[in-house]
Amino acid sequence: MMNVFQPCRRGGRAASLLVLIGALGLAACEGGTTSTGVPCPTAKAPVGGLDYKLGVGDRVKVTVIGQPELGSEAEVDAGGKLVIALAGEVLAVNHTVSEIQAEITQKLKSNILVDPRVSVQVSGYRPVTVLGQVRQPGRYPYSFGLDVRGATALAGGLERRASPERSVIFRPGQSCDAKPDTPLFPGDTVEVLRRGG
């Protein structure tokens, strides 16, 4: 039987390379997610305030000063929009609270009010998802200051095969290696890795 790692007359090196790539691919599939080699930032999540960018699952409370009947609460839907009483649909994903507040003010001004004073506040952040070597994988509410250790506790703690120091965080367009004290952002997905994974 020919050793595929020895070059043969024609295409031997290519065949060897394909076999090696296949073996690495299978090993990656069996092991699941591995470290990314990119450490996560240590800065806390920019939550709260007028500069916070909204995402699907965030909830906001809208108050119209002097018009309590126009106040409402809404969640950013799967289409990235908020539906606000008398203002209609407002595109919210990747827009700041300040931008949303200005747009709702403009819509109310053009529709029914002369000089509306609108306040928009985030009343609930999109949840985090915890996967991998935890006892109860799932989605959990985000709270200010939540880190990987806290999210792991929400998910029932670590499984026996879990690495207590290693996990990967997935964010839109980014994945990075996390430690227990790495801060989480709203909407993050955390995967706790196996020991040696």
Side-chain angles (χ1 to χ4, degrees), residues 21 24 32 47 52 78 80 105 124 141 161 195 197:
I21 290 170
L24 291 173
V47 296
Y52 175 71
T105 299
R161 294 181 293 182
R195 294 179 190 274

Side-chain angles (χ1 to χ4, degrees), residues 50 52 54 60 62 80 82 84 90-106 118 120:
L50 294 175
Y52 175 71
L54 296 170
V60 299
V62 179
L82 289 165
I84 306 297
V90 176
L91 185 60
V93 165
N94 292 325
H95 289 274
T96 65
V97 172
S98 177
E99 291 169 339
I100 299 303
Q101 188 169 284
E103 185 169 351
I104 293 171
T105 299
Q106 187 58 42
V118 176
V120 175

Side-chain angles (χ1 to χ4, degrees), residues 130-149:
V130 186
L131 304 173
Q133 301 300 308
V134 291
R135 292 195 174 103
Q136 298 170 356
R139 299 179 75 191
Y140 294 93
Y142 178 86
S143 58
F144 182 74
L146 185 67
D147 59 14
V148 170
R149 183 181 289 111

